[in-house]
Amino acid sequence: MAKKRILSGMQPSGLLHLGNYYGALKNWIELQEQFECFYFVADWHSLTTLYEDPSHIKKYTFEVAVDWLSAGLDPEKSTLFVQSRIPEHAELHLILSM
């Protein structure tokens, strides 16, 4: 029987903190044992909060990914990706928003 899937993302609008860990990341680490998980760094979503100076998004994207790996997200158990690297993500948004 196939595992159920989970898709979730986190904005890289700053450095991660304990709220990120206890609010989402800790759960993600546990969920990867039971489900087929897809977690993405929602860099396009950060444009809504860092629109005045988006120059930090690239750095924060890297830092978030490093923090995820350091906390225990395992690329062997979960698919990790950056939102802007998957063009189909924007295409699907366009289709669903019409």
Side-chain angles (χ1 to χ4, degrees):
M1 184 175 196
K3 290 182 176 181
K4 291 185 178 182
R5 290 183 180 165
I6 292 178
L7 170 68
S8 192
M10 190 179 293
Q11 286 188 38
S13 53
L15 299 176
L16 294 188
H17 48 76
L18 288 176
N20 297 115
Y21 179 75
Y22 285 106
L25 190 52
K26 184 175 185 286
N27 293 323
W28 290 4
I29 294 163
E30 294 170 10
L31 290 170
Q32 71 183 349
E33 302 299 330
Q34 304 166 10
F35 299 94
E36 183 180 12
C37 297
F38 297 83
Y39 298 124
F40 66 98
V41 182
D43 57 338
W44 280 337
H45 283 68
S46 290
L47 293 171
T48 62
T49 54
L50 297 175
Y51 60 88
E52 291 178 357
D53 183 12
S55 64
H56 299 290
I57 294 174
K58 186 175 183 178
K59 175 187 176 220
Y60 291 153
T61 296
F62 178 79
E63 295 293 333
V64 165
V66 168
D67 288 346
W68 286 1
L69 296 172
S70 298
L73 277 183
D74 185 347
E76 297 291 324
K77 298 177 182 177
S78 298
T79 300
L80 311 176
F81 65 97
V82 176
Q83 180 183 32
S84 63
R85 302 293 178 147
I86 310 296
E88 293 84 359
H89 195 102
E91 293 167 5
L92 181 60
H93 172 272
L94 178 66
I95 291 167
L96 294 175
S97 66
M98 291 182 173

